[in-house]
Amino acid sequence: LQDWLLKFSFAWAQELTIIMFVWMAKFGAAYGVRTGIHVGVDVMINRLSDGKRKWFISFGLLAGAVFTGIIATLGYHFVMGIGLHYAWLHYWGKETGDLFECPTTPDLEWPTWAVYSAVPLGSTLMCFRFLQVLVNFFRSGELPHHDHSQVAGVDESIIISEELATTPAGDHKEGY
């Protein structure tokens, strides 16, 4: 079995892992902005008066939206320049003119424009999420907050019931 398995080449696995990590990071950051788990240092901001705090938070969210919007725009132009423009014209049977067919990745031989599309797509989503949080902050005065003590999908009543069922009588913790 080992000799048969060694005939297969997995040289593409590292390239796929890197590509998947880049895509995960871009879209994961957008998810982090939406849910409030994206990295933020707000120790000083939380010590300000409400008026100044609201101004600084609004400025930070708007700056995040502008920055990610710029990255999305630059990423779009980059992806178009490395072959997406050619791919679209070629797909629709249009004249490609001086455009060149895009390079491919070394191991998977995927078009590089498809791999690098994570930048404009993920950045656009992140820009949208920054604006979404900003609008919600203006309406409610609250930011998304992630409670680190809770785990999504875990029903505490089930855990408590199972713990009570398995704990000997008289050994129950306070509060149950």
Side-chain angles (χ1 to χ4, degrees), residues 108-168:
L108 294 171
E109 297 182 2
W110 289 352
T112 55
W113 64 262
V115 173
Y116 290 123
S117 292
V119 174
L121 294 174
S123 296
T124 301
L125 181 60
M126 195 168 179
C127 179
F128 171 75
R129 295 301 187 191
F130 271 120
L131 294 173
Q132 188 179 36
V133 170
L134 180 65
V135 168
N136 187 47
F137 181 67
F138 279 143
R139 289 182 180 163
S140 68
E142 293 184 16
L143 292 170
H145 176 70
H146 179 71
D147 186 2
H148 297 286
S149 66
Q150 297 296 319
V151 178
V154 176
D155 188 0
E156 287 185 24
S157 63
I158 294 173
I159 293 171
I160 293 170
S161 299
E162 289 174 359
E163 188 173 309
L164 286 173
T166 60
T167 306

